[in-house]
Amino acid sequence: GQNIDQPTEMTATEGAIVQINCTYQTSGFNGLFWYQQHAGEAPTFLSYNVLDGLEEKGRFSSFLSRSKGYSYLLLKELQMKDSASYLCAVRGDYKLSFGAGTTVTVRA
Amino acid sequence: GAVVSQHPSWVICKSGTSVKIECRSLDFQATTMFWYRQFPKQSLMLMATSNEGSKATYEQGVEKDKFLINHASLTLSTLTVTSAHPEDSSFYICSASAEGRGRETQYFGPGTRLLVL
């Protein structure tokens, strides 16, 4: 089975940094994805990790430790438009399994 | 690149009618398309996986006779909700991936919001 855990909600101030953790236990592992989803919209791809380490892409970075079953998404220089749900998803043998998502609220 | 469209974006129908949702990959050939359902404040739940020219693989608990999936070409998949009932009201999202794009990332369509009265 697949078990993916991430916090339900986080709040941060504009310009700050927020780290969203994700732990997983899955049968098979072929990569971990982070998606951003604004309310009422479909998810948009943010990052992909398949090897251990940090992947940096602009203000967003994602880290993976396969031995620990752990990933985090780091959002720097937060902007109001970053208020959204962030979904951690693990690709098992053939499909993506999603966590419940972390709702990030950015305050002015 | 990697644009996926869905049509319609929202639909309201009467209980007992059938609704067809189209999912198209606009700028790449999708070897695999996925159909998800998302209820309010919940995560995406995979309903089925379809490969072009073959029968869809349904997840446990998803009725294949109720949710008909056709993947007739490398750019089009359709989901038909047959005899829809109010409990089928949800946000339906498709995604597409392609071999050879390196990471088999799934690109999502904008979603279809279905309300069954």
Side-chain angles (χ1 to χ4, degrees):
Chain A
Q2 318 285 66
N3 189 28
I4 300 169
D5 290 316
Q6 51 182 129
T8 305
E9 295 179 327
M10 300 183 77
T11 301
T13 306
E14 198 173 12
I17 298 172
V18 70
Q19 178 174 312
I20 306 170
N21 296 324
C22 171
T23 57
Y24 63 90
Q25 291 176 312
T26 59
S27 54
F29 179 83
N30 286 290
L32 186 144
F33 296 79
W34 284 96
Y35 286 87
Q36 180 191 60
Q37 186 178 26
H38 285 99
E41 299 180 12
T44 55
F45 169 75
L46 288 180
S47 69
Y48 169 80
N49 295 71
V50 67
L51 299 176
D52 290 350
L54 187 68
E55 293 270 350
E56 297 186 83
K57 190 184 292 185
R59 295 188 298 115
F60 294 172
S61 303
S62 58
F63 172 84
L64 174 67
S65 169
R66 289 171 296 170
S67 62
K68 296 182 180 178
Y70 167 71
S71 173
Y72 68 72
L73 178 69
L74 194 69
L75 285 64
K76 294 181 259 188
E77 299 170 19
L78 279 173
Q79 301 175 9
M80 298 300 288
K81 68 178 182 179
D82 297 331
S83 292
S85 181
Y86 291 84
L87 308 176
C88 173
V90 176
R91 181 179 171 86
D93 293 327
Y94 75 98
K95 68 175 184 179
L96 275 184
S97 296
F98 285 83
T102 300
T103 299
V104 172
T105 302
V106 181
R107 293 181 177 169
Chain B
V3 178
V4 177
S5 70
Q6 263 182 260
H7 178 80
S9 56
W10 59 270
V11 59
I12 301 173
C13 69
K14 292 182 179 180
S15 186
T17 59
S18 293
V19 175
K20 179 186 281 189
I21 303 170
E22 290 188 350
C23 176
R24 293 181 186 272
S25 56
L26 299 184
D27 55 357
F28 68 101
Q29 293 187 322
T31 50
T32 308
M33 286 186 168
F34 303 84
W35 287 96
Y36 294 85
R37 181 165 51 181
Q38 186 177 36
F39 292 104
K41 296 189 184 286
Q42 295 185 24
S43 193
L44 282 74
M45 296 301 295
L46 180 66
M47 298 175 67
T49 302
S50 72
N51 293 292
E52 184 264 339
S54 62
K55 289 184 179 180
T57 301
Y58 290 81
E59 294 300 298
Q60 194 171 6
V62 178
E63 300 175 55
K64 61 180 182 181
D65 294 328
K66 180 171 180 62
F67 299 99
L68 302 178
I69 292 172
N70 185 293
H71 193 159
S73 75
L74 285 172
T75 60
L76 173 64
S77 176
T78 60
L79 167 68
T80 301
V81 183
T82 61
S83 186
H85 289 96
E87 59 265 30
D88 298 323
S89 299
S90 187
F91 190 42
Y92 291 86
I93 309 172
C94 74
S95 70
S97 66
E99 299 284 340
R101 292 184 69 86
R103 295 175 169 178
E104 293 190 55
T105 299
Q106 288 187 28
Y107 297 93
F108 287 85
T112 297
R113 199 163 298 279
L114 171 64
L115 177 61
V116 184
L117 301 177

